[in-house]
Amino acid sequence: AEICTLLQQLAAAGTAVVIVSEEIAELIAVADRIVVLREGRTSATVDGASIDPEEVLRAMLPHSSAATGEGT
């Protein structure tokens, strides 16, 4: 909780804060924007009020034709 307070204070002061984590709930709690990188590329950028955990999770996972229904 102490680190979250510090991050919020830094962000409020206009400091850019970058957090690397796989914990979606933790990211949503502190983030104004989430950028998902997968295999060295941006797979999604989700802003503030529209952060959807399902969207973030889908962007984190590798795509396969079985999972997406593509290629059938």
Side-chain angles (χ1 to χ4, degrees):
E2 192 173 319
I3 189 77
C4 289
T5 302
L6 176 60
L7 293 174
Q8 290 169 340
Q9 290 171 347
L10 289 169
T15 304
V17 178
V18 177
I19 301 170
V20 178
S21 177
E22 294 180 350
E23 298 296 328
I24 297 172
E26 175 183 279
L27 292 172
I28 291 172
V30 298
D32 292 328
R33 178 184 310 141
I34 295 176
V35 177
V36 179
L37 300 175
R38 188 171 30 83
E39 297 180 6
R41 299 178 189 257
T42 301
S43 62
T45 301
V46 186
D47 287 319
S50 64
I51 296 175
D52 174 20
E54 293 290 325
E55 180 181 357
V56 174
L57 181 60
R58 282 192 302 273
M60 291 171 68
L61 298 174
H63 298 282
S64 71
S65 58
T68 62
E70 295 175 6
T72 56

